[in-house]
Amino acid sequence: MQRRVAVVVLLAALVLADKYDNIDIESILRSDRLMNNYMKCFLDTGPCTSQAYDLKRDFPEAMSDCSSCTDEQKKLVKKASRYLIKERPEQWKMILDKYDPDRTRSVKFNKFLNEE
């Protein structure tokens, strides 16, 4: 359950660096091991790889309207986020509670998600 939330965290953070433009999100979504590891890192319940740590560090800044995103990153963020919000709302709430407890970033992020 919690493992898919890591995708949102991962993707939202990806917007900050072009080096993530070619990430294979489908592989991450299909890997329970990767998802579990990213989720533990982002929620401070387990160790972080260097990539997961960087993503976790940058996530709060990325969680907005994705104005720093490349077009490819915007597609990835929207795909993963929409899925998690719809299919895994409990896990999405855990991420929001940690990274946006007053929900100020979520307002902009939700606007971004609803754009076509």
Side-chain angles (χ1 to χ4, degrees):
M1 284 183 166
Q2 293 179 347
R3 54 192 173 265
R4 286 191 174 82
V5 168
V7 170
V8 169
V9 175
L10 170 66
L11 291 176
L14 295 177
V15 304
L16 299 176
D18 291 340
K19 69 181 179 179
Y20 298 115
D21 276 351
N22 297 316
I23 192 165
D24 182 1
I25 192 59
E26 296 301 326
S27 293
I28 295 170
L29 288 169
R30 288 189 303 260
S31 172
D32 286 342
R33 181 185 60 79
L34 288 175
M35 293 300 293
N36 287 335
N37 289 340
Y38 277 104
M39 178 57 71
K40 288 176 185 176
C41 172
F42 280 100
L43 295 176
D44 297 324
T45 59
C48 298
T49 63
S50 60
Q51 183 182 41
Y53 176 81
D54 289 343
L55 297 172
K56 175 180 145 178
R57 180 195 63 219
D58 294 335
F59 178 68
E61 183 180 340
M63 191 180 170
S64 64
D65 61 357
C66 212
S67 60
S68 300
C69 299
T70 65
D71 288 342
E72 189 61 30
Q73 290 164 344
K74 287 178 182 180
K75 290 176 191 175
L76 293 174
V77 169
K78 285 180 179 182
K79 179 180 180 177
S81 299
R82 288 172 178 164
Y83 171 81
L84 290 169
I85 290 167
K86 181 179 178 184
E87 302 296 329
R88 306 285 187 199
E90 306 85 22
Q91 290 79 27
W92 181 245
K93 184 181 180 306
M94 290 169 50
I95 294 296
L96 292 179
D97 289 346
K98 179 168 177 58
Y99 292 96
D100 190 24
D102 62 0
R103 303 303 194 258
T104 55
R105 290 184 175 124
S106 301
V107 173
K108 281 181 129 180
F109 193 67
N110 286 334
K111 274 186 179 181
F112 161 73
L113 289 178
N114 291 319
E115 294 172 353
E116 286 304 318

